[in-house]
Amino acid sequence: MAPSSSSAWKRASPSAVRVASRAASSSRWFTTADDTEQRDLTFRYRIRPMRTAGLFTVVVVVAAVDWWAVARDRRRLELLAKPLTLVALIIATGILLGVEEPAHRWLLVGLLLSLAGDALLLSHHPTAFVTGLAAFLGAHLAYIVAFLLAGTGGPGAVAGLAVVAVLVATLGRRILAAVRQTEPAMTGPVAAYVVAISGMVVAALGRGSWTAAVGALLFYLSDALIAWNRFVRPIRRGRLAIMTTYHAGQMLIVASFL
């Protein structure tokens, strides 16, 4: 009868045992490397998209609560849901992008300044509009830096300049004329803000990304609606249009960095 494998292993020389052990260890190492690569691929193509969709779903749900509160004039709920929407977007951005890349850090700075602007514009204090405007101006400058660090320029930037020229010549000119008539002291701050958000639109279009371009233009539209509603004439359901375009624009700007 042939000896059992366990008996043969026991009778093997110590050197043979060491060689076999090293071979088994090497085999386990190669298996682990393959498994790690497989896990990386699974995360990249399955888990990460699911996590992105889940986080953005949370942001959209919170934003929808804010839109409902605005539409129904539920002031207390709006005071909670409006800033929470940006908080949720900031958390999602931090989880998905991190802070290792300089462009991502500047993106988060822009979101934090936007959150500050949201909170300030909810106040009825006489200086709330000016301070909120300053916070959002800072946010647009941060977005410009983020877009530039991520890579921008070329035909997209040229197209952005053309788009901005049309917007300023039409909407911007009309709004600034109304500001001079109704609140002359606000002419300088509003003009500076128009320059900042226009620069952000140019930088976003220069990215060559449809999400960046549409996000920036929606942000521009939201702010144009705010200015029109305040300085020109009230718009029916204007506040709801302002918030939906604003939140959609912010989400698309973040999505352009993913």
Side-chain angles (χ1 to χ4, degrees), residues 32-198:
T32 302
D34 292 340
D35 288 345
T36 301
E37 183 178 357
Q38 185 61 43
R39 284 196 297 271
D40 290 343
L41 291 173
T42 301
F43 177 79
R44 184 181 302 173
Y45 295 108
R46 293 182 61 185
I47 297 175
R48 182 171 181 175
M50 290 172 61
R51 189 172 67 171
T52 301
L55 289 168
F56 269 84
T57 298
V58 172
V59 177
V60 171
V61 168
V62 180
V65 172
D66 181 55
W67 303 341
W68 183 86
V70 170
R72 297 286 183 173
D73 201 22
R74 301 294 179 90
R75 180 68 177 171
R76 288 185 179 179
L77 182 58
E78 182 187 359
L79 289 171
L80 179 66
K82 184 179 180 180
L84 273 182
T85 303
L86 260 292
V87 169
L89 186 58
I90 289 166
I91 292 171
T93 303
I95 292 172
L96 294 171
L97 295 176
V99 294
E100 289 80 12
E101 296 290 334
H104 299 165
R105 291 197 292 270
W106 280 102
L107 175 65
L108 283 166
V109 169
L111 289 170
L112 288 167
L113 286 169
S114 297
L115 174 59
D118 281 346
L120 288 165
L121 291 179
L122 284 170
S123 171
H124 292 298
H125 193 275
T127 62
F129 185 78
V130 176
T131 52
L133 195 72
F136 276 111
L137 188 150
H140 292 309
L141 294 178
Y143 287 151
I144 290 171
V145 175
F147 285 133
L148 290 175
L149 288 172
T152 187
V158 175
L161 286 170
V163 169
V164 163
V166 172
L167 290 172
V168 171
T170 53
L171 277 174
R173 204 161 102 181
R174 178 72 177 88
I175 289 168
L176 284 171
V179 174
R180 281 193 295 270
Q181 291 177 357
T182 57
E183 300 183 46
M186 290 296 299
T187 303
V190 171
Y193 188 83
V194 169
V195 171
I197 194 170
S198 297

